[in-house]
Amino acid sequence: MAASPEPSEPSEQKTFKLLGILDVENIPCARDSVLYGSLGSVVAGLGHFLLTSRIRRSCDVGVGGFIVVTLGYWLHCRYNYAKQRIQERITREGIKNKILYESTHLDPERKQAKSSSNST
């Protein structure tokens, strides 16, 4: 039985690279894009073959379906990923400011509480 590596030791993990270029484990959205693209190619190619019975054209449609679905999902996923990163950054800055200014004279909530108590 092989012993698991200690936490202090660097672990030698091989990452899976598609075509030797695309590291699908570490690049966000790469794995899902390739999976949905392959499913899209099977559906497009098989659907075209069932409709026309033309083998060569169906293979071309399958390859085209792979490219279109992969790029389409990649763009959609990366857009959502970028939007999520921006929201996380804004939230992180808000929490940092809340911690920094809490219970000081610069606290915006404290100013709001004073102004509402003065107006009554």
Side-chain angles (χ1 to χ4, degrees):
M1 185 158 109
S4 63
E6 293 295 321
S8 60
E9 296 177 11
S11 61
E12 297 273 337
Q13 291 184 347
K14 288 268 191 173
T15 59
F16 178 72
K17 290 189 177 186
L18 189 65
L19 301 175
I21 300 170
L22 184 63
D23 186 7
V24 295
E25 287 185 22
N26 295 327
I27 298 175
C29 304
R31 179 178 164 264
D32 290 338
S33 297
V34 171
L35 288 175
Y36 286 131
S38 60
L39 180 65
S41 70
V42 169
V43 168
L46 189 61
H48 189 270
F49 177 74
L50 290 175
L51 290 174
T52 62
S53 296
R54 297 174 70 182
I55 297 171
R56 185 178 177 106
R57 177 70 56 94
S58 298
C59 291
D60 293 342
V61 169
V63 171
F66 175 78
I67 293 169
V68 167
V69 172
T70 301
L71 288 178
Y73 188 78
W74 174 267
L75 293 174
H76 171 73
C77 185
R78 291 299 291 190
Y79 172 76
N80 287 336
Y81 181 73
K83 193 165 69 170
Q84 181 184 9
R85 294 280 305 250
I86 290 170
Q87 288 174 347
E88 287 175 359
R89 188 180 70 226
I90 290 170
T91 304
R92 196 175 310 117
E93 288 174 6
I95 291 172
K96 183 182 78 170
N97 288 338
K98 175 72 174 172
I99 292 170
L100 186 64
Y101 295 127
E102 190 173 33
S103 299
T104 65
H105 69 282
L106 299 173
D107 189 5
E109 288 182 8
R110 191 171 180 194
K111 289 180 183 179
Q112 291 172 357
K114 283 183 178 181
S115 63
S116 64
S117 64
N118 289 340
S119 63
T120 54

